[in-house]
Amino acid sequence: MPPAKKMLWAPIIQEGVFRFDANEGAKKQAWPSVSFVNGQDRESPITLTAEAHIREPLYIPQCRTDNGSQTITVKLPEGTSFYGTGEVSGPLERTGKRVFAWNTDAWGYGPSTTALYQSHPWVLALLPDGTTFGVLADTTRRAEIDTRKASTIRFVASGSYPVITFGPFSSPEAVLTALSKATGTLAMPPKWTLGYQQCRWSYETADRVVEIATTFREKKIPCDVIWMDIDYMNAWRCFTFDPETFPEPAKLSDLLHEKGFKGVWMLDPGIKQEPGWSVYDSGTAEDVWVLQANKKPYAGEVWPGPCCFPDYTQAKTRKWWGGLVKDFVKIGVDGIWNDMNEPAVFKSLSKTMPDTNIHRGDEDLGGSQNHQHYHNVYGMLMARSTYEGMILANPEKRPFVLTRAGHVGSQRYAATWTGDNLSSWIHLEMSIPMSLNLGLSGQPFSGPDIGGFGGNATPQMFARWMGIGAMLPFARGHSEKGTVDHEPWEFGKECEDVCRQALYRRYRILPHLYTLFYKAHTTGVPIMSPLFFADPKDEKLRKVEDSFLLGPLLVAACTKAGKKPDPKKTVLPSGLWQLFDFDDSHPDLPLLFLKGGSIIPTGQVSQNTGDVSENDPITLIIALDEEGKAEGTLYEDDGDSFEYKKGQFLLTRYSAALVSSSTGGSSGKKIVIKITQSDGYLSRPKRPLKVRILLANKAELEGEGVDGEELTVDLPSRFDMAQITTLIQQQDLPKEDDENIPDEADHETSESLAVPPTTLLDLKIGDWSLKVAPWIGGRIVSMIHEPTETEWLEGKLEHGAYEEYSGVEYRSPGCVEQYDVKKEQSDIEGTDGVVMEGDIGGGLVMCRQIGGKGADSKIVQISSSIEARSVGAGSGGFSRLVCLRVHPSFKVANYELALVKFTSISGEAREIVPKPGDIMLTADDRPNGEWAFLDKENGVAIVNRFNPEQVFTCVIHWSAGICNLELWSEERPVSKETPLQICHEYETVSEQELLQSQP
């Protein structure tokens, strides 16, 4: 293996940003950047001024080139915490994780799924001193992002690609602003997209759409958007409408607009291969399709049947698609939803098109390449094409596009959501860190399917999810076919009331939220951010993932079933934080805190954003700091056009200060609220200005005046700022007396929670005695061969021994979930046995049958499988990518007298002695169906036999006192008809017997 070398570097874009290449040859071979707004910015070094503070990179990556791939390693100070890596499930902090940038249709993903719908080969590093550093591997190809080694970032991808580093800078905001100068900021959305949005797969008829819209208005639950999923189409063909169920789409759009709703309609990339249909015929005539290796158009199975796929890497294809979008928008379409654009393909083990397909890309994107090169940017380029088509339809209106697949830079064209999640408490818990990490990767406009897409929510879960989701940048409820209806009124009156209050909150804070969107658009900082943004040096904030910041507004949620948010247990950054609400406190709604020194603008409750008038009152919520001061900003424009780019906006900075007063209350103090700065050409509306000044223990002062004029509020005699500060620091924060909404279903346990102990199953199988723990991963914790008195397994109840996983990642789902015992076999041919199943999420179960061959059996047989029981139809009946990984840990008594022995499929006799690292055996290097771990000190061996047709990889791993002999299936999605299975067995033999059988 060639050694790693330091990379060449040059400053680009701004001070503190550097490009690194393996060498001059690699620099010339690197493909153009698709991530950058302007690809030439990556290619053009800058000259630093004499005043520049960062003249050389502080951390220089090392690169190792091997077999056409680059492995990039960046070592940072001990104690560094990692974040970002794009759309990832699991915890907020990514330290110790490995994911793969490869856009994948991942219905029902879990906390350990390693590839989701989007690819962001980017890591944000928070250094021990609070300074922040960012690293971007600027490649479109499949990339491994590995942060498992302490304080080390590792990227692996094929081809030559540069690495771009940002910083270290003084704050996370500074790094993300620098990143946005390279990859762009989010497109400023129309204001209506900040309202609540309701979707289902599907509202089957236009009448049902109108019924949903009418019910929202009758029940006075705020909502701005109704979404049309794929069933509005005629036989699932894009750009068509079902003549029976959606016969007059323009009329439907008019009805929605009359009720104050916008309509968003789905467009998938797959175009049905149907000669005689105008869309297919025009695409064929324009030669826009992705090609097979034989240069003929590729057709893959999706919803309508065999489909051709537009090659969005070509300008002519984007123009063709944009023209179709332009005509489509004429029926009153307000926004477009690009789904299935990883691109997803049914009846394919890879869940996408073949790597050998050809994209005839524009030269500035990389020219003609195979699919592996462009796969990760296919969805981004589709979103770009859709965005540009909407601009063609109406150049004066801001488009709205939602995309499922994306890449670094997608935020320039589209918002996103976290894909096909599940109605589970684990997915509710992941909603916050998933949205946060997308924001930390440059995509700030995101959120989950509120209530969960797959499965049935319960009343408490749905209310809790709405309370959290209503505070996220993108707020949409969505659910799939076959589930109960998930509209806010479907879970009982109390849940409906909580949902209404949650959405009232959202609409009240829309002026503040819209201001944050403008800041994200102009500076690249996230709309929602982790608590450590308030104090990057505070280590206790780095793992908090049930709270987040909306600017100075802290939202503290509770994501655990049956629990309540507790103000006294809420982790707060340093400084003053004032608890407040809108007279809507409820244990299923998050707590709200405002940072001392801050002002946020709020508005009135409305049923949709179009109901709001520029003359409606603005209410400023004010929390003074220790010096009695506060400031905040309000951004306003027309909410729909591009006129703001010409200065047609109003950006107001308000301040509040506690000052002495000879005419004030008996305290001699007053609070003066005024405008300190105003920018933009828009005139200030003549409107009332109200203020809520937060004191302590939820006490408040109120005042009212006219916006643009100075407003004074007297401070009562019992308060001065020192007293207020002390009271806030010592305030007796109330605990809510209300009860949670009762839930009607049991709640699954997060894999991070302790599972209560139960009784081990004792199995007697011939010569063997086994102990099995079905309540924690169904693991075998003891495997004793009685004739030789050998205990083969090494491990504890919670870890090690015999485990099985559902992914290539170590301890991925399957090893800690509870397994149900389906059958205990006793006295069957004189031997014991057990059949178990464990739910691993996403409609998948892991099944395991342990038994023998009769009372005199010398062999333990284990048959394991991953089966699809309830995989959503949204993925064509195929699950996320899974791999059945058998992971036994055998005891090593003496390393000098231990080895693994086998004959490979190629016929080579091999002996593997202990050495560090993993030994991966694939193809003909695999054992020919049998391998053995030999303990020479005790003169015994355990032989493991298996079917090579079921096992694609064998792994040997030596560590302290342990030898792992792992069996891996292929990695692929499963359906009900195509489970993964490994059948294998263990036998103990003497060393002499082993040598006779394997000379």
Side-chain angles (χ1 to χ4, degrees):
M1 183 178 295
K5 298 180 180 179
K6 286 187 176 181
M7 304 179 75
L8 306 178
W9 60 269
I12 60 171
I13 300 176
Q14 68 165 61
E15 177 186 350
V17 178
F18 298 93
R19 169 178 173 159
F20 293 86
D21 291 277
N23 49 54
E24 287 294 343
K27 184 176 181 179
K28 292 178 181 178
Q29 293 170 7
W31 302 109
S33 178
V34 182
S35 303
F36 275 51
V37 179
N38 180 359
Q40 285 305 308
D41 287 344
R42 197 190 74 176
E43 310 303 322
S44 306
I46 62 171
T47 301
L48 297 174
T49 65
E51 294 77 22
H53 297 288
I54 307 176
R55 308 193 66 82
E56 295 184 356
L58 184 58
Y59 303 109
I60 298 179
Q62 291 192 326
C63 177
R64 187 180 72 247
T65 303
D66 189 27
N67 294 325
S69 293
Q70 286 186 175
T71 298
I72 310 294
T73 303
V74 185
K75 294 184 178 180
L76 298 171
E78 184 178 349
T80 296
S81 303
F82 296 124
Y83 303 91
T85 68
E87 185 182 53
V88 285
S89 56
L92 170 66
E93 187 180 359
R94 306 309 298 168
T95 309
K97 302 295 181 181
R98 179 176 66 164
V99 295
F100 296 90
W102 184 252
N103 293 359
T104 303
D105 178 3
W107 186 97
Y109 55 86
S112 300
T113 303
T114 57
L116 297 182
Y117 306 88
Q118 304 205 16
S119 297
H120 297 77
W122 157 262
V123 179
L124 182 76
L126 192 59
L127 306 183
D129 63 358
T131 57
T132 312
F133 185 70
V135 187
L136 172 68
D138 196 15
T139 177
T140 62
R141 296 184 176 182
R142 177 186 174 96
E144 177 184 343
I145 311 167
D146 189 351
T147 56
R148 292 175 298 177
K149 187 175 180 180
S151 304
T152 303
I153 302 168
R154 178 173 168 269
F155 295 104
V156 183
S158 64
S160 298
Y161 59 93
V163 168
I164 317 298
T165 66
F166 300 80
F169 295 135
S170 60
S171 68
E173 293 95 328
V175 171
L176 291 168
T177 294
L179 175 66
S180 74
K181 291 180 180 178
T183 64
T185 64
L186 89 159
M188 188 65 185
K191 194 171 185 178
W192 56 263
T193 63
L194 276 63
Y196 177 66
Q197 312 188 33
Q198 185 63 50
C199 185
R200 181 167 174 83
W201 177 41
S202 283
Y203 295 128
E204 300 281 356
T205 66
D207 289 343
R208 178 61 173 157
V209 172
V210 174
E211 179 187 352
I212 293 293
T214 301
T215 306
F216 269 103
R217 295 294 177 251
E218 290 175 349
K219 291 183 173 290
K220 298 194 179 303
I221 299 175
C223 186
D224 264 86
V225 189
I226 307 293
W227 290 61
M228 269 53 72
D229 208 316
I230 195 170
D231 290 307
Y232 78 82
M233 301 177 189
N234 183 6
W236 298 323
R237 293 178 301 176
C238 291
F239 303 105
T240 69
F241 302 91
D242 190 296
E244 295 184 3
T245 55
F246 286 83
E248 299 178 285
K251 181 179 178 181
L252 174 60
S253 295
D254 290 342
L255 288 171
L256 288 175
H257 293 161
E258 289 171 8
K259 294 178 179 291
F261 286 90
K262 305 294 184 182
V264 177
W265 303 67
M266 174 184 283
L267 287 176
D268 288 347
I271 300 298
K272 187 174 184 182
Q273 192 178 41
E274 184 178 301
W277 175 39
S278 61
V279 174
Y280 172 75
D281 288 346
S282 68
T284 301
E286 295 289 338
D287 189 25
V288 301
W289 307 126
V290 174
L291 302 180
Q292 302 174 75
N294 63 11
K295 306 297 178 68
K296 295 181 180 180
Y298 166 77
E301 187 88 6
V302 206
W303 293 111
C307 288
C308 290
F309 289 79
D311 182 1
Y312 299 108
T313 66
Q314 300 182 90
K316 69 175 183 179
T317 305
R318 297 193 296 274
K319 181 179 179 181
W320 169 79
W321 183 267
L324 294 171
V325 169
K326 177 183 177 181
D327 294 338
F328 184 66
V329 168
K330 291 178 182 178
I331 62 101
V333 168
D334 299 294
I336 293 177
W337 173 15
N338 288 159
D339 196 23
M340 301 289 290
N341 56 342
E342 290 75 29
V345 176
F346 297 161
K347 301 180 181 178
S348 165
L349 293 181
S350 69
K351 306 196 80 171
T352 191
M353 61 178 65
D355 285 349
T356 54
N357 277 5
I358 299 170
H359 298 260
R360 294 163 287 169
D362 300 334
E363 287 303 316
D364 62 344
L365 295 180
S368 183
Q369 301 278 353
N370 64 21
H371 180 67
Q372 186 181 40
H373 183 83
Y374 283 121
H375 172 87
N376 282 341
V377 293
Y378 187 88
M380 172 182 173
L381 294 173
M382 180 188 185
R384 172 184 171 180
S385 304
T386 303
Y387 183 91
E388 292 171 349
M390 294 194 75
I391 292 285
L392 286 174
N394 194 332
E396 303 302 319
K397 288 185 67 173
R398 302 176 209 168
F400 175 65
V401 179
L402 185 82
T403 183
R404 189 168 80 175
H407 190 261
V408 176
S410 294
Q411 70 278 358
R412 305 196 295 265
Y413 313 111
T416 196
W417 85 108
T418 59
D420 293 343
N421 61 358
L422 301 178
S423 295
S424 74
W425 287 91
I426 292 172
H427 278 262
L428 168 57
E429 187 176 341
M430 290 194 299
S431 295
I432 296 174
M434 289 186 74
S435 299
L436 285 171
N437 273 318
L438 277 165
L440 296 178
S441 304
Q443 173 51 286
F445 197 0
S446 72
D449 283 341
I450 294 173
F453 177 70
N456 298 321
T458 58
Q460 185 187 116
M461 182 196 301
F462 190 86
R464 191 76 60 84
W465 214 323
M466 184 66 78
I468 295 170
M471 305 300 286
L472 300 180
F474 180 61
R476 182 187 72 162
H478 187 31
S479 55
E480 73 169 345
K481 287 177 185 280
T483 64
V484 300
D485 289 342
H486 275 56
E487 290 73 40
W489 53 83
E490 293 292 348
F491 297 92
K493 184 179 185 304
E494 187 175 0
C495 180
E496 178 184 325
D497 290 342
V498 171
C499 291
R500 184 181 293 106
Q501 290 300 325
L503 293 173
Y504 281 2
R505 276 188 174 186
R506 182 174 186 87
Y507 280 74
R508 281 188 173 103
I509 70 165
L510 275 182
H512 174 57
L513 198 58
Y514 195 58
T515 301
L516 294 177
F517 268 79
Y518 178 71
K519 186 177 180 182
H521 169 64
T522 53
T523 70
V525 300
I527 296 157
M528 64 180 294
S529 56
L531 260 59
F532 65 72
F533 270 48
D535 187 357
K537 295 180 181 180
D538 189 346
E539 290 189 5
K540 76 174 186 295
L541 303 178
R542 296 190 175 194
K543 294 181 184 292
V544 177
E545 54 188 42
D546 57 0
S547 300
F548 56 93
L549 297 169
L550 295 171
L553 173 61
L554 189 153
V555 181
C558 178
T559 58
K560 305 296 184 184
K563 304 292 184 180
K564 302 178 185 180
D566 186 347
K568 293 183 177 180
K569 295 181 180 179
T570 300
V571 177
L572 297 174
S574 59
L576 303 180
W577 292 88
Q578 289 272 36
L579 179 68
F580 76 100
D581 56 40
F582 296 96
D583 294 324
D584 58 0
S585 181
H586 189 280
D588 287 312
L589 293 179
L591 300 174
L592 305 179
F593 294 83
L594 185 60
K595 183 179 181 180
S598 303
I599 299 174
I600 61 169
T602 63
Q604 296 180 311
V605 170
S606 62
Q607 293 303 300
N608 63 84
T609 54
D611 279 351
V612 178
S613 165
E614 64 177 14
N615 296 317
D616 288 342
I618 289 291
T619 299
L620 303 179
I621 302 179
I622 302 171
L624 301 174
D625 63 15
E626 294 89 338
E627 298 179 356
K629 297 179 180 180
E631 62 180 16
T633 303
L634 171 63
Y635 173 78
E636 301 168 274
D637 60 24
D638 63 20
D640 201 41
S641 78
F642 290 103
E643 290 299 304
Y644 72 93
K645 292 187 175 182
K646 303 174 184 178
Q648 294 300 314
F649 62 84
L650 182 60
L651 183 63
T652 306
R653 181 175 292 277
Y654 295 95
S655 71
L658 180 65
V659 299
S660 299
S661 170
S662 57
T663 60
S666 56
S667 71
K669 300 283 187 178
K670 64 181 180 180
I671 300 167
V672 178
I673 300 96
K674 62 183 180 181
I675 294 173
T676 57
Q677 186 174 341
S678 182
D679 296 312
Y681 297 146
L682 279 187
S683 300
R684 186 170 303 281
K686 295 293 183 181
R687 61 190 174 195
L689 179 69
K690 300 179 180 182
V691 297
R692 291 175 57 191
I693 303 171
L694 308 180
L695 299 178
N697 290 316
K698 301 188 81 170
E700 297 184 11
L701 295 177
E702 295 183 351
E704 185 170 352
V706 176
D707 189 25
E709 299 178 4
E710 189 173 287
L711 173 62
T712 300
V713 179
D714 292 334
L715 185 68
S717 58
R718 67 182 184 277
F719 288 111
D720 62 28
M721 202 57 225
Q723 292 172 318
I724 292 172
T725 299
T726 301
L727 286 170
I728 295 170
Q729 292 171 337
Q730 301 177 352
Q731 59 186 319
D732 183 19
L733 297 173
K735 292 187 72 173
E736 305 301 337
D737 294 328
D738 292 340
E739 295 298 320
N740 296 104
I741 295 174
D743 237 352
E744 300 172 353
D746 295 329
H747 313 297
E748 76 275 27
T749 303
S750 169
E751 63 177 286
S752 62
L753 300 179
V755 181
T758 186
T759 304
L760 289 167
L761 292 176
D762 290 307
L763 302 181
K764 180 68 171 67
I765 302 174
D767 289 346
W768 296 87
S769 292
L770 279 67
K771 292 184 181 294
V772 179
W775 73 92
I776 181 166
R779 71 182 66 249
I780 305 172
V781 298
S782 176
M783 182 186 286
I784 298 175
H785 183 250
E786 292 184 341
T788 60
E789 298 182 345
T790 304
E791 167 61 277
W792 282 110
L793 295 180
E794 175 65 35
K796 299 178 181 178
L797 183 61
E798 301 83 4
H799 190 280
Y802 178 98
E803 301 176 328
E804 291 184 5
Y805 315 142
S806 62
V808 297
E809 289 297 298
Y810 177 61
R811 293 181 67 80
S812 53
C815 73
V816 295
E817 287 77 5
Q818 181 169 340
Y819 278 59
D820 295 326
V821 176
K822 297 299 181 182
K823 184 189 298 183
E824 286 190 63
Q825 303 165 312
S826 59
D827 202 31
I828 300 176
E829 297 183 358
T831 187
D832 291 344
V834 65
V835 178
M836 301 178 293
E837 291 183 358
D839 188 335
I840 57 172
L844 300 176
V845 296
M846 289 187 72
C847 306
R848 192 172 312 147
Q849 181 171 344
I850 305 170
K853 292 183 176 178
D856 297 326
S857 177
K858 296 182 178 181
I859 293 172
V860 173
Q861 294 179 318
I862 302 176
S863 177
S864 303
S865 61
I866 300 177
E867 300 179 5
R869 296 285 173 83
S870 57
V871 173
S875 289
F878 283 85
S879 73
R880 65 183 186 266
L881 287 175
V882 287
C883 171
L884 179 55
R885 178 176 171 181
V886 176
H887 182 90
S889 298
F890 298 121
K891 284 186 175 183
V892 178
N894 185 336
Y895 276 109
E896 295 182 357
L897 297 173
L899 59 85
V900 175
K901 186 176 176 61
F902 63 91
T903 300
S904 69
I905 292 175
S906 64
E908 180 185 1
R910 298 195 61 183
E911 292 186 353
I912 309 294
V913 297
K915 60 181 178 179
D918 291 338
I919 300 172
M920 312 286 287
L921 304 170
T922 60
D924 288 351
D925 290 334
R926 289 172 296 155
N928 63 357
E930 178 180 306
W931 56 351
F933 167 66
L934 173 59
D935 177 1
K936 289 187 175 183
E937 184 170 76
N938 295 304
V940 291
I942 185 166
V943 180
N944 180 207
R945 302 184 185 94
F946 57 89
N947 182 350
E949 293 183 0
Q950 297 175 335
V951 175
F952 277 57
T953 304
C954 296
V955 181
I956 304 171
H957 177 82
W958 301 90
S959 57
I962 292 173
C963 176
N964 301 121
L965 295 185
E966 299 189 42
L967 307 175
W968 294 21
S969 74
E970 64 180 320
E971 185 180 23
R972 62 170 172 83
V974 299
S975 67
K976 290 182 179 179
E977 295 77 24
T978 59
L980 286 172
Q981 185 174 33
I982 293 178
C983 299
H984 64 119
E985 62 185 38
Y986 295 105
E987 181 181 6
T988 296
V989 299
S990 68
E991 180 179 0
Q992 184 177 4
E993 288 173 318
L994 178 67
L995 296 177
Q996 289 174 348
S997 64
Q998 293 187 10

